[in-house]
Every structure is written in structure tokens, then in C-alpha cells.
Amino acid sequence: MKAAILSVENGDPLAALRGFLRRLLETRMVGMILVPKALPSGAGFVQTLIRDPAMLDDVHPVAPTMPVQSARILSGLTVGDPGERIGAVLKPCELRAAVELTKFLQVKLDHLVTIGVDCPGTYEVEDYARVAGEKGAGDSLWEGMVRGVKTGRLDGQEEEGIALRLACRICENPVPVNADITFGFFGHDPSREIEVIVGERVVGEFEERGIIGLSSEESSERGQVISQLKEERIRKRDEVFGRFRQQTTDLQALMSTFSTCVRCHNCMVACPICYCKECVFRTPTFEHQSNQFVRWADRKGGIQMPTDTLIFHLTRLAHMATSCIGCGLCDSACPSGLPVMTLFRTVAQGVQSLFDYLPGRDPEETPPVATFREDELQVETGAKD
Amino acid sequence: MSEFEPRIVAFLCHWCTYTGADLAGTTRQQYPPNIRIIHLMCSGAVDTIYVLKALIDGADGVLIGGCHPGDCHYQTGNYKARRRVAILKNILSQLGYDPERIWLRWISASEGKLFADTVTQMVEELKQKGPNPIKKMWAL
């Protein structure tokens, strides 16, 4: 691993980042770049696959919204051979989701150069669009973020009528793990400089192509700001988890919280980890005979229709809590504003700690559901004496 | 009012526990009739959704029976079942639902008596616990 300082001119970090990405294309380090680009309407950003360097003009590598999880896009892009090496600019949670999907053979890292960014957090798509509609307000949000990364104070923008998504406010992983290239902002003043960290997998090629002079050690200031930010986020996370645990004393309480679920399954569609092409909830597995519903209603006096809220959420937990990376797009997708992310992250913490597993940490790790140890979980085995 | 009789849905693997249950029958082992058996090829074929479905639709307990470690006909199905069950029980206990309504047990084809004893014991313990609380919920 080696690092370099990318100097920023005219106080414009985006121009420096765009220049760097252009260099990756021009030196054929990558054939294409996947990166968020400003929508023509100005209302937000969208991941865009770019070949022509001229199209990099208004890309935003640290876009303050995340309309879709890029891991989903990478699945389509890399599961076959794209014929080009693709540089993918990813937020830390997108990178972790992509790493998790490689373990389920849905993403192939061979075809990618992952470009992770220190992530100040994201706004809800509709919040950003509303604020961006007011003249120049989108720019002022960005400027606030640029100022915030120096000290790691990022969450004080509620007073401007827009707050980071809850998932981001409690995210203890704001830094990319094992990216091939990392854009480091924390601890730096991005109006003057950005740290570029290059990982083992590509460092040789980087030097050969002379993309940037790599010499310096990683800055210690960045490390300090990151650990402070993590500490703060963990405190907030534990508050949110604690409140949820207190109010979820039994399944009845869970169902009260989720009583306004409209069973649109949007949380499942938005989730990067729910990758099954044929989800059990989209098959006739639990289509019942008409008279079955009548028998249930008869037994209980009446039943809520349709009948699948509890089994839907519990099954999704059982299927993917081990791999939940906490991006919170389930929250963003929910039309009823249910605390889906809070449910998943709280429960996932318990399940992941069973196996000392952190999803997205390392592509070489096997997900808990795909492996076992012979000498574990002895309490579950055998008949009782 | 008559005593509460729990209903148990049992997922039994073909090569061990199902055959063990068969042996319990042919050797005239007595055990309570509270169990409804679903015959599968392997405990590793039990997706947690079916365990949840049984409990949500009103079973008082779920028994999953597989081969002893090392004896799985498919090498490792029972180990995978063990992880899945551990994950499910962890999730349910975090959400305030008694995970001890789900039993995973290793019972071989030659252990007819162990099968009968296991069912007897499970029925006893479920009687202590009382009916599955989900049965009272109409909004699911």
C-alpha cells in the first residue's frame, strides 16, 4: 500500500478528482469508469458508465445521494466478462456490498479496479432534489461537507432543513476497506489537497503507468479523524439499537412497529444483498387454497389480509442478516417510513457476532451460511440427557 | 377444559431420523401423537422459511432431525442445518420469541428409542411453555 497527495487547485476538489479519473482513462489503467454524474435536471446524481473522458466534466465521485446501490450495478456489469477493466467509484457501503456479492458469485472483482471514497454520508434522494431546487443550495451542502471532513464533524446540517440519512448518521464504516484506490478526505482540507491511497493489487501498475508519484506514508491525521468519527457514530448507533431493542420486547411489539407495512417488497428490491433471481416471495410456494384463509379466519375470528408481513421480514432476516452491510437503502425505499434498516442492523449485529463475521471485510472470507466448523454450536446437537 | 396438547411439525431427514422414527414404530416404542412429520432427504434441505411458516401458522414447536455429525449422507448437510437453525434461533430470541420452541436433534436410523424419548420430552416441555403466542395474533 502506498499513498500520495493530490493537490487541489482553485479550491475545487471535484476538478482535481475529475482530472485524476481522466488520467486513469487516458493511461488505459481502466477502459471505463462507473461514477455518479449530475443529472441533467440538477436534481441529483446517477451512476454512469463512462468511456469518453469529456463526459467526466460533471461527475461527482462523492455524490451526496445514493439512488441505487452500485453493488447491484456491478453484478450486471461483471458477472460475465465486460471485455474492459472497469474503474468503479464506490462509497464504503457499496464496496462492502460488492465484496459480499463476490462471495455469492454475483460480482467478479477481476474485472474491476475499485475506487473507494471516504464518505461524509448521503441525503435521501427526494430531500436533496428539494434542496437542490432552491438556487445554489446543493452547492452549499457540498461546501458544508468539504468543511466537515477536515474535522470529522459532518452531522450538524439538520438546521439547514436537511439531515443525512439515518443509516449514514449511525454508520461506523465511513472509510473504504481494501479498495484498490482510495480517495481520502478525512483529516484533510479538500479545498487544498486529497490523499490518494493505492492498494497492493494495482500499485505496481500504477507506478508503471506513472499515474501519480507515490511515495508518502498515509497521513496520521486522517487516521485520527477517522477513529474519532467512528467513535461518535458507534455511540449514535448504539443509542438507536438500544431504543429499538427496548421497544421490541416480543413479536407482537415488532408487528405493532411494522403494522403499516404495505408489503410492496421495495426493501427487498433495494437491498444489494438480496440477489436471488427467483425470490421465494415471488413464487407460488405459499399460495394457499382459498378455503385455507377461511379456516384461519374461522380459527382466530378474523385475520389480516394479505397474511405475509411477519414471515416476509423474518425470512429476509434469516436469509441475509449475516451479510447485511447497513447501507440503509431499505429505509429509503420504504413508502411507509418503517425502520427496516434499524431492524436489520440491530438483529444483524447479534447474528454476525455469533460467527465473528463482518460482511464486506475481506473477499477471501466465506459467509457464515456457506460454511461451518465441526466443533461449533455444540448446544444444538444431540438429544438432551 | 382439556389439557393443552401441543402440535409439533417435524422435518426429518430420510437417511437417519426418519428411519429412526420408523424403527420407533416397528419396535413398538410409545410416544405421544402430537407430531406431524415432513419427510425430507436431508436436514440441510430445511430452509428457515419453512420453520417460520410452521410457527406462524400455529405449530407450537418445530423439530428438525438429522444425522449425527460425520454421518450425513450428503457429507455436510447437517452442519449447514445447524448453522441455519442457530441463526434463526438467534434472530427470534433477539425479537423476544422463545427460541426453545425449535429443536434440532441428531437421531440415527438405529435410535428408535431416542426418537420416541425426544418426542416425549419435547411434548412435555411445550406443555410447560403453553401454546405458541403467535396463535393469538390476527395481524401477521
Side-chain angles (χ1 to χ4, degrees):
Chain A
M1 195 182 292
K2 285 189 174 180
I5 293 292
L6 183 67
S7 57
V8 171
E9 280 158 30
N10 306 323
D12 186 355
L14 287 178
L17 293 172
R18 288 164 188 155
F20 183 86
L21 293 178
R22 185 170 294 120
R23 189 117 181 83
L24 294 183
L25 277 181
E26 285 166 356
T27 56
R28 304 296 295 159
M29 179 74 199
V30 295
M32 302 241 177
I33 291 182
L34 180 75
V35 59
K37 181 174 163 72
L39 289 166
S41 65
F45 305 89
V46 65
Q47 282 282 20
T48 310
L49 184 63
I50 294 178
R51 149 83 83 206
D52 179 359
M55 277 191 74
L56 289 169
D57 281 350
D58 52 359
V59 299
H60 198 320
V62 215
T65 61
M66 182 167 56
V68 291
Q69 245 277 1
S70 299
R72 290 209 144 222
I73 300 171
L74 291 181
S75 168
L77 264 179
T78 65
V79 80
D81 182 358
E84 290 271 8
R85 193 155 61 162
I86 296 167
V89 178
L90 303 169
K91 300 185 193 306
C93 60
E94 294 181 310
L95 177 58
R96 283 184 301 123
V99 166
E100 211 47 24
L101 287 183
T102 64
K103 301 173 189 173
F104 297 107
L105 310 180
Q106 302 298 308
V107 167
K108 281 198 195 125
L109 291 175
D110 306 356
H111 306 306
L112 289 175
V113 171
T114 55
I115 306 168
V117 297
D118 278 4
C119 181
T122 55
Y123 302 106
E124 294 292 359
V125 167
E126 71 262 33
D127 284 349
Y128 184 84
R130 177 173 49 76
V131 170
E134 301 155 21
K135 200 170 179 303
D139 290 340
S140 80
L141 284 177
W142 165 240
E143 282 156 19
M145 280 187 166
V146 168
R147 282 194 304 276
V149 293
K150 175 93 170 84
T151 54
R153 286 205 189 90
L154 291 159
D155 307 339
Q157 290 173 327
E158 283 87 344
E159 62 270 19
E160 289 176 35
I162 183 168
L164 292 177
R165 297 186 311 127
L166 176 61
C168 301
R169 295 203 300 272
I170 67 168
C171 171
E172 74 280 45
N173 297 296
V175 176
V177 185
N178 298 328
D180 294 324
I181 303 169
T182 301
F183 292 151
F185 306 111
F186 291 128
H188 293 279
D189 176 358
S191 60
R192 291 170 45 204
E193 60 175 38
I194 296 163
E195 190 171 350
V196 177
I197 301 149
V198 181
E200 295 302 335
R201 204 166 68 123
V202 295
V203 75
E205 223 182 318
F206 231 73
E207 288 179 324
E208 251 167 59
R209 291 172 197 264
I211 292 169
I212 190 169
L214 293 168
S215 53
S216 65
E217 298 288 303
E218 282 181 73
S219 93
S220 60
E221 225 168 310
R222 177 167 177 265
Q224 275 171 16
V225 169
I226 291 168
S227 50
Q228 269 170 25
L229 182 61
K230 280 189 177 182
E231 224 171 90
E232 166 85 7
R233 293 277 178 81
I234 287 172
R235 195 178 54 71
K236 283 186 190 163
R237 178 198 72 187
D238 291 346
E239 267 171 35
V240 170
F241 287 4
R243 266 201 305 279
F244 184 81
R245 289 202 178 103
Q246 243 169 21
Q247 98 195 31
T248 313
T249 46
D250 57 14
L251 290 183
Q252 185 79 61
L254 178 73
M255 280 306 289
S256 297
T257 309
F258 279 72
S259 61
T260 52
C261 171
V262 295
R263 278 137 301 180
C264 62
H265 297 180
N266 280 0
C267 46
M268 176 180 99
V269 176
C271 177
I273 303 300
C274 266
Y275 66 85
C276 293
K277 298 285 184 254
E278 190 176 42
C279 172
V280 65
F281 291 107
R282 300 233 166 120
T283 66
T285 305
F286 291 138
E287 267 175 24
H288 296 287
Q289 303 268 336
S290 307
N291 64 3
Q292 178 66 61
F293 297 106
V294 173
R295 283 204 300 275
W296 281 327
D298 192 38
R299 197 199 302 159
K300 295 191 184 187
I303 48 162
Q304 169 182 299
M305 297 288 282
T307 54
D308 62 353
T309 310
L310 186 59
I311 198 166
F312 174 72
H313 292 291
L314 289 180
T315 300
R316 245 172 55 74
L317 277 170
H319 282 178
M320 46 68 61
T322 44
S323 288
C324 173
I325 45 86
C327 65
L329 282 193
C330 45
D331 262 16
S332 301
C334 181
S336 297
L338 299 175
V340 198
M341 177 276 296
T342 307
L343 167 69
F344 272 74
R345 285 217 58 200
T346 308
V347 171
Q349 189 184 42
V351 178
Q352 291 168 7
S353 69
L354 258 188
F355 305 103
D356 189 23
Y357 182 73
L358 264 184
R361 175 171 53 187
D362 176 0
E364 300 303 319
E365 274 181 311
T366 312
V369 286
T371 185
F372 62 87
R373 288 205 337 260
E374 282 182 22
D375 60 347
E376 67 181 359
L377 303 170
Q378 294 304 326
V379 286
E380 301 271 348
T381 69
K384 288 184 184 171
D385 298 326
Chain B
M1 199 174 146
S2 60
E3 195 191 2
F4 160 61
E5 287 294 341
R7 269 190 208 194
I8 298 168
V9 172
F11 298 95
L12 306 184
C13 95
H14 174 79
W15 303 99
C16 291
T17 315
Y18 189 87
T19 313
D22 221 13
L23 184 66
T26 50
T27 54
R28 315 263 170 127
Q29 301 284 338
Q30 296 295 310
Y31 65 89
N34 304 46
I35 187 165
R36 311 287 184 273
I37 293 174
I38 296 171
H39 182 178
L40 293 117
M41 291 313 286
C42 180
S43 56
V46 183
D47 190 302
T48 40
I49 194 170
Y50 300 110
V51 179
L52 286 166
K53 182 70 177 159
L55 292 171
I56 287 172
D57 286 353
D60 297 292
V62 170
L63 171 66
I64 299 154
C67 306
H68 286 274
D71 289 354
C72 178
H73 193 77
Y74 309 98
Q75 317 294 339
T76 60
N78 50 357
Y79 289 117
K80 289 171 184 163
R82 185 168 69 181
R83 279 213 161 183
R84 261 177 240 159
V85 170
I87 290 169
L88 180 63
K89 288 173 78 161
N90 180 289
I91 291 170
L92 289 175
S93 67
Q94 287 196 66
L95 297 172
Y97 184 83
D98 183 0
E100 294 312 313
R101 289 184 183 275
I102 302 168
W103 284 32
L104 173 68
R105 294 294 182 268
W106 306 145
I107 299 168
S108 78
S110 62
E111 292 173 322
K113 178 156 189 327
L114 180 59
F115 178 79
D117 289 349
T118 303
V119 175
T120 307
Q121 194 185 358
M122 190 168 180
V123 170
E124 275 310 304
E125 291 193 17
L126 287 173
K127 278 185 179 174
Q128 303 279 319
K129 288 183 194 296
N132 178 0
I134 298 180
K135 278 201 266 198
K136 287 185 300 198
M137 294 164 62
W138 64 268
L140 290 167

